[in-house]
Amino acid sequence: MSRDPYRVVLLPGDGIGVEVTADAVKALTEAGRLTGSRFAFEEIPAGADHYRRHGRDWPAGSEERCAAADAILLGAIGLPAGDGAHGSLLRSDGRMAGWSAIVGNRLKLDLFANVRPVRLFPGVEHFISGTHKQVWEPANVDMVFVRENTEDLYAGSGGILAPGGVGQVATDTRIVTRASSERVIRLAFEHAMRRDGAPADGVRRVTCVVKDNILHGCRLFVSVLDEIGAEYPEVERETVLVDAFTQWLLRRPEHYDVVVATNMFGDIVTELASALQGGMGMSVGCNVGTRHGMFEPIHGSAPKHAGHDRVNPLAAILSAAEAARWLGARHADPDVSRAGDAIEAAVRAVLAAGGPLTYDMVGHDRAAPRSAVTEAVLGRLADHAGPADPGAPTDRGRAAALATP
């Protein structure tokens, strides 16, 4: 008898998050049907728009519903402040509206690692200086970023001193702890052990991105890297300053295998890395801990594009693939893992065929609607959802969101 359906909480959120989450659900549902995997979806209204309408990020009991889920699919959170104000809509406590669904879940569910696979699929060009061209080769871009996800400058320690109601002094205190550093660094080495090394030389390598020539938190992070790295003699380790890393990432991406970083630096460099894989429309974020996982496209809510059927659904669809593979690893369920593999293979097939693709990937003149791209992926799923071939070669990037040790 097959197991009960996997309970997947949906947090579509704001703007285009609603549209691309629906596309991810379609892909996961169809891949499940083809592989014998079942999913039960529960949608929770959450985000900046919900806060604007109701004065809270999401309905009462939403935290508990997320904690009870087998996996979470997040769309996008955030809206502009409006009324001529600069920046994002904020809550009365100064946090971004919708904070509970994204940052709150990371903290409450202890999703201590943000794991981002950065792979360039064949058929994807790069949008550089206003034109689409092949800048980097697919064989040279295949790495995994492991970013600490719960502390650093995002821990919320700080504030603004405003005597007389006018802001005069602002502080943001950076917090880096040994415990959080240990588990995210260990996860990075575990990922390196599951991969085949960097594209350039096949060396299993963990690159630590820090600013340890100045910052105490980075010095602690590097000391923990050296301690844990000594337990993995098969994995080379190196430390690089974040400012230097930004140029080397673009100049020689083939050198990198697994990259580990503290929260803020990891946030910044992974956005840069998205350029290597074809832009934010291809970028997936996997927020994982020892018991919970939340998967998302990282492109944001882009409210100006909402409702126009034009945005790229592939990052959200690939997020669903990572969720399925994470579930498969966590529950020793090869069928749901195969559903995730089938989704990625279908995306690869559409890209290799040259389309249909959205404007961000091919330009406005050749652009297809978002819905057409999703339908093309769904149409390819049956070609890739057959029984697993034990002799087939493994995908070097496939382990990006495997269950944490």
Side-chain angles (χ1 to χ4, degrees):
M1 182 179 295
S2 63
R3 57 154 284 144
D4 292 338
Y6 289 104
R7 297 166 298 169
V8 180
V9 160
L10 307 175
L11 300 172
D14 300 306
I16 63 171
V18 177
E19 302 168 29
V20 298
T21 300
D23 294 327
V25 169
K26 290 178 182 177
L28 203 52
T29 300
E30 179 63 7
R33 184 187 70 81
L34 292 167
T35 60
S37 304
R38 295 190 296 156
F39 304 95
F41 299 102
E42 178 185 7
E43 184 171 324
I44 298 176
D49 185 60
H50 192 275
Y51 178 83
R52 179 178 282 161
R53 293 171 182 268
H54 303 284
R56 59 188 304 165
D57 288 343
W58 53 10
S62 296
E63 278 186 19
E64 293 77 12
R65 292 157 71 185
C66 287
D70 292 307
I72 302 169
L73 292 183
L74 173 67
I77 298 294
L79 289 175
D83 299 326
H86 176 71
S88 300
L89 180 67
L90 301 179
R91 304 189 320 192
S92 57
D93 63 1
R95 290 171 169 165
M96 65 175 286
W99 179 93
S100 301
I102 181 167
V103 183
N105 263 345
R106 290 176 180 176
L107 298 176
K108 295 293 180 63
L109 302 180
D110 199 22
L111 306 177
F112 65 83
N114 184 276
V115 182
R116 295 191 186 179
V118 175
R119 295 163 289 174
L120 177 58
F121 295 152
V124 176
E125 294 184 331
H126 304 91
F127 187 63
I128 302 292
S129 298
T131 61
H132 288 87
K133 63 186 75 172
Q134 191 79 51
V135 180
W136 296 277
E137 295 299 322
N140 288 337
V141 180
D142 185 352
M143 66 193 81
V144 174
F145 283 77
V146 182
R147 162 192 163 198
E148 200 287 319
N149 209 29
T150 60
E151 53 183 35
D152 200 345
L153 286 174
Y154 301 161
S157 179
I160 297 177
L161 299 177
V166 179
Q168 300 290 344
V169 178
T171 62
D172 293 286
T173 302
R174 187 178 192 228
I175 298 173
V176 177
T177 66
R178 171 172 288 275
S180 292
S181 300
E182 283 178 347
R183 58 186 183 173
V184 78
I185 289 170
R186 187 172 299 280
L187 180 60
F189 278 95
E190 289 293 324
H191 277 302
M193 290 296 294
R194 289 193 289 262
R195 288 168 52 85
D196 296 330
D201 53 15
V203 172
R204 289 190 172 104
R205 178 180 294 117
V206 170
T207 301
C208 181
V209 178
V210 286
K211 192 71 175 173
D212 62 331
N213 59 338
I214 294 183
L215 300 176
H216 294 295
C218 287
R219 291 169 187 157
L220 174 61
F221 199 77
V222 170
S223 70
V224 174
L225 175 89
D226 290 338
E227 292 170 15
I228 292 178
E231 301 176 24
Y232 295 86
E234 307 93 337
V235 180
E236 179 183 289
R237 64 185 184 273
E238 63 181 7
T239 301
V240 60
L241 297 179
V242 62
D243 42 351
F245 177 75
T246 56
Q247 64 138 346
W248 288 117
L249 177 64
L250 299 184
R251 292 181 65 181
R252 54 169 191 175
E254 64 275 9
H255 174 77
Y256 298 106
D257 181 23
V258 177
V259 180
V260 66
T262 54
N263 201 341
M264 186 186 71
F265 291 154
D267 192 7
I268 294 169
V269 297
T270 49
E271 302 291 298
L272 175 62
S274 71
L276 297 170
Q277 60 188 134
M280 299 288 274
M282 296 297 297
S283 300
V284 174
C286 311
N287 304 278
V288 296
T290 55
R291 294 185 298 136
H292 302 283
M294 181 171 70
F295 303 83
E296 59 176 322
I298 65 171
H299 48 53
S301 63
K304 70 178 182 180
H305 294 302
H308 297 292
D309 194 22
R310 66 164 67 116
V311 297
N312 191 342
L314 295 182
I317 291 172
L318 289 169
S319 297
E322 294 290 357
R325 291 199 286 240
W326 180 81
L327 286 169
R330 178 168 170 75
H331 296 278
D333 184 344
D335 289 334
V336 73
S337 295
R338 193 156 45 90
D341 292 345
I343 293 172
E344 182 181 305
V347 169
R348 286 178 178 268
V350 170
L351 293 169
L357 297 171
T358 47
Y359 76 94
D360 58 308
M361 304 193 73
V362 294
H364 290 281
D365 292 343
R366 297 168 50 203
R370 185 205 84 253
S371 54
V373 177
T374 300
E375 288 304 314
V377 173
L378 296 178
R380 298 273 188 169
L381 276 172
D383 296 335
H384 302 282
D389 179 2
T394 58
D395 179 347
R396 300 175 66 256
R398 184 167 290 169
L402 289 179
T404 52

